[in-house]
Amino acid sequence: MIMITKKRIRNIWPYLNLFETGQEIFFSIPILEDDIEKLIEIGFTPDLIPGEQILPKSIGNISHYNAEGKYLKRKDLPMETAYRQIEWKWKDWGGNEHSKIVDIPYKRYKRYFIEPPSEELTIVEAETGKIILSRGIIKSTENEDDIRHLINLFLEIFGKCEILTSDLTPPLRPEIRRLNWNILPPGEYPWERVENEVRKIINRQPRGNQPVIRYRIETISNYRPDFIAIGRGGFNNYLVFGFNEKNLYLLESTREGNATYVFRDDWEILSQLTKKEILTNDLQEERIIHREGWDNNIRRLLQ
């Protein structure tokens, strides 16, 4: 057992000297009183029930990469044209105000997306009390990047990280319950009701993006979804709109330059998948990019 108390590490090997190559190791912290506020902040419930599992909310660079991935800029390549959506307002000759969402082109360096690791944390009951536990991972040079990421994820969130072997790790006896979604009570969700529920999500985005996000959410809400699920933890920038009779579930991102994902699978199954499984396994039937014409595609699906 080794405890690391640093802000971040680069070289993992000095901390793994006591472990054999090929041995399975885990990363953990005991849950102390001082950790409870942080655990609730990243997505766990105040009850901290064994079996709760969460993709941690972004609170810094490491957890942001873990939940959202990152882009690598290629300054050695020619620049490309990208588009940013804004709300354009104007007045007609009668003084009546109008608005619409338009694409504004701009130049940027080409970017390559690096998928998020999507490492989840689990509450487990140990002999000494509750602990936070990572998945198990084999000590090997092939896993060096994943091991470094897991250690730094713990250090960023908790300021400490304990390395355990399987013989010191309690078995995951409780049933795993992912906490990635808060499902609102059933019923119709017109925009007036939705706006009240998602105001906080919209308000934490850059002010210039808020009218565009509000327009997309309002557009989908006007088709009267049967339920709405609000993402929590590392899903906190996502909403799901469920249309049960159509067997359609729309995963909507509030981030600029993203897309609306369209699923026809059973929602109960989808809700228990990891973010990586949802977004990178081609489970979606369609991906509607946030560009001009987005609303026409939504109308085609839902009208």
Side-chain angles (χ1 to χ4, degrees):
M1 182 190 305
I2 293 180
M3 177 67 81
I4 305 171
T5 53
K6 288 192 170 186
K7 289 186 177 180
R8 190 169 180 174
I9 67 166
R10 295 186 181 275
N11 184 6
I12 66 172
W13 301 113
Y15 304 99
L16 302 181
N17 285 335
L18 297 180
F19 307 103
E20 299 290 335
T21 298
Q23 187 173 17
E24 187 178 30
I25 55 177
F26 296 77
F27 306 97
S28 175
I29 64 157
I31 297 179
L32 305 177
E33 190 70 27
D34 293 343
D35 301 313
I36 294 176
E37 186 176 339
K38 183 65 67 175
L39 290 168
I40 295 172
E41 179 186 355
I42 65 171
F44 287 104
T45 72
D47 297 325
L48 300 176
I49 300 171
E52 289 184 357
Q53 191 173 77
I54 194 75
L55 175 66
K57 178 183 175 182
S58 301
I59 60 170
N61 291 335
I62 303 297
S63 51
H64 180 82
Y65 166 54
N66 185 64
E68 302 291 344
K70 60 185 177 182
Y71 286 93
L72 177 66
K73 291 182 181 179
R74 292 294 306 272
K75 295 185 178 181
D76 57 318
L77 297 177
M79 299 185 81
E80 64 180 3
T81 301
Y83 296 86
R84 179 182 297 111
Q85 289 198 312
I86 66 166
E87 183 184 38
W88 178 42
K89 294 183 177 181
W90 75 97
K91 289 185 178 180
D92 60 24
W93 292 105
N96 300 309
E97 189 172 89
H98 305 272
S99 69
K100 70 174 183 176
I101 304 300
V102 298
D103 289 344
I104 303 298
Y106 66 98
K107 290 291 186 181
R108 71 178 184 191
Y109 290 109
K110 286 192 175 183
R111 305 187 306 170
Y112 291 90
F113 183 61
I114 301 175
E115 294 177 357
S118 297
E119 296 288 355
E120 297 184 329
L121 304 180
T122 308
I123 297 177
V124 177
E125 189 74 59
E127 291 183 1
T128 55
K130 295 176 184 176
I131 66 172
I132 298 296
L133 194 66
S134 75
R135 67 180 174 96
I137 187 169
I138 300 299
K139 177 189 172 183
S140 67
T141 54
E142 292 81 8
N143 288 334
E144 179 177 356
D145 289 343
D146 289 344
I147 292 171
R148 182 186 299 108
H149 173 70
L150 277 165
I151 293 173
N152 284 328
L153 183 64
F154 271 83
L155 294 179
E156 179 177 272
I157 297 173
F158 305 110
K160 55 192 173 184
C161 177
E162 194 171 39
I163 307 177
L164 306 175
T165 54
S166 56
D167 58 317
L168 295 174
T169 304
L172 296 176
R173 283 189 293 266
E175 180 181 351
I176 297 301
R177 183 166 68 93
R178 283 200 169 95
L179 303 175
N180 295 325
W181 301 100
N182 283 332
I183 301 178
L184 302 183
E188 287 195 343
Y189 282 89
W191 169 241
E192 293 76 15
R193 185 178 179 191
V194 174
E195 184 180 28
N196 190 50
E197 297 286 355
V198 303
R199 188 176 290 113
K200 287 183 180 179
I201 298 175
I202 295 173
N203 288 346
R204 65 171 173 252
Q205 302 303 320
R207 181 167 294 181
N209 295 348
Q210 290 179 15
V212 179
I213 296 167
R214 189 176 291 107
Y215 170 77
R216 288 200 294 263
I217 296 175
E218 182 176 2
T219 297
I220 299 174
S221 300
N222 286 338
Y223 291 98
R224 296 291 198 269
D226 299 302
F227 74 86
I228 293 178
I230 298 178
R232 59 185 295 169
F235 279 84
N236 69 330
N237 290 307
Y238 287 87
L239 297 165
V240 170
F241 297 85
F243 298 87
N244 294 328
E245 288 189 7
K246 298 177 183 292
N247 190 30
L248 278 175
Y249 306 95
L250 273 58
L251 178 66
E252 175 62 30
S253 171
T254 60
R255 286 195 174 276
E256 181 186 9
N258 213 299
T260 303
Y261 293 81
V262 182
F263 298 91
R264 287 193 183 273
D265 292 319
D266 183 86
W267 165 244
E268 296 300 324
I269 296 174
L270 281 173
S271 68
Q272 290 303 304
L273 295 178
T274 67
K275 192 172 186 178
K276 195 169 187 177
E277 288 170 335
I278 290 175
L279 300 182
T280 64
N281 283 0
D282 292 326
L283 300 176
Q284 69 270 11
E285 180 176 283
E286 193 171 346
R287 185 170 176 266
I288 304 175
I289 303 296
H290 290 160
R291 288 281 306 276
E292 285 190 40
W294 172 89
D295 45 2
N296 292 329
N297 283 308
I298 295 298
R299 186 181 306 113
R300 168 180 55 80
L301 280 171
L302 300 177
Q303 196 166 49

